[in-house]
Amino acid sequence: MKRLGLVVLTAFLLGGCNNGTSRKAERRCGVPAQAGCSLPKTKQLTAPPTAARLFPDISEYQGCPSFHGPVIFKVYEGGYGQDHSARCNANRVHALHLWAGVYAFLRPANCAGQGYATAQIVKQLGGIRGPVVADAEVPLPRGCVSAFLSQVRQHIGGPVDIYTGTGTW
């Protein structure tokens, strides 16, 4: 079945080159990727002004990589404390004057305490220009994210944000 689909796709693509009007054209076209028989290319590809920008999400699992642009890095994980690479990543952000956000991976206990701890760590690291993100990827008790964000706002202000998945809070 896979082979039949490939044959049909190849025939479709080859037929699309010069509308399949001449045998000579069909022979010249070959496989579109090899013969340049594809949609015309634009001179310049530009993203719309509202397009999202991708940037790395760094934690102790990546250590302290040599990033040169916007970044979000983990500063805290509930039940474990400060991320081991948070200081190094914050130092790099400050030295290069980069935009950065930070996140705390929330666990389902003492959510307000996790917010307070995150705020204290961010202060100790010299602050950041981006948001403090509540990383709510595991099921949490009702009101956990709100309690976390309330403490962050109370102790360091905003901005704040939430990263979550379906059914986690």
Side-chain angles (χ1 to χ4, degrees):
M1 187 62 149
K2 201 176 204 180
R3 185 178 215 167
L4 177 62
L6 181 59
V7 170
V8 171
L9 176 63
T10 304
F12 172 75
L13 292 172
L14 290 176
C17 186
N18 291 332
N19 296 325
T21 55
S22 75
R23 289 185 164 267
K24 188 174 182 183
E26 286 177 0
R27 273 186 254 125
R28 270 198 323 244
C29 264
V31 178
Q34 293 174 347
C37 178
S38 61
L39 296 174
K41 294 172 179 58
T42 60
K43 290 181 181 177
Q44 182 178 10
L45 296 175
T46 57
T50 58
R53 183 168 183 181
L54 298 177
F55 47 87
D57 165 357
I58 300 171
S59 71
E60 59 197 21
Y61 298 108
Q62 292 83 29
C64 193
S66 184
F67 54 87
H68 300 282
V71 65
I72 186 164
F73 61 96
K74 185 167 83 169
V75 293
Y76 178 82
E77 183 162 349
Y80 298 98
Q82 182 171 327
D83 186 271
H84 297 296
S85 65
R87 168 73 56 200
C88 178
N89 289 319
N91 288 345
R92 184 167 187 82
V93 162
H94 295 304
L96 298 176
H97 306 285
L98 299 174
W99 179 95
V102 297
Y103 68 97
F105 192 96
L106 303 183
R107 297 290 181 181
N110 191 10
C111 300
Q114 292 179 70
Y116 177 79
T118 299
Q120 298 311 307
I121 291 168
V122 170
K123 284 180 183 178
Q124 291 169 8
L125 296 176
I128 44 121
R129 295 189 336 199
V132 173
V133 178
D135 187 347
E137 296 183 57
V138 298
L140 299 169
R142 184 181 198 143
C144 180
V145 172
S146 295
F148 172 86
L149 294 176
S150 175
Q151 286 295 306
V152 170
R153 285 186 186 113
Q154 179 182 340
H155 295 284
I156 59 174
V160 295
D161 208 342
I162 302 166
Y163 175 83
T164 189
T166 304
T168 59
W169 61 288

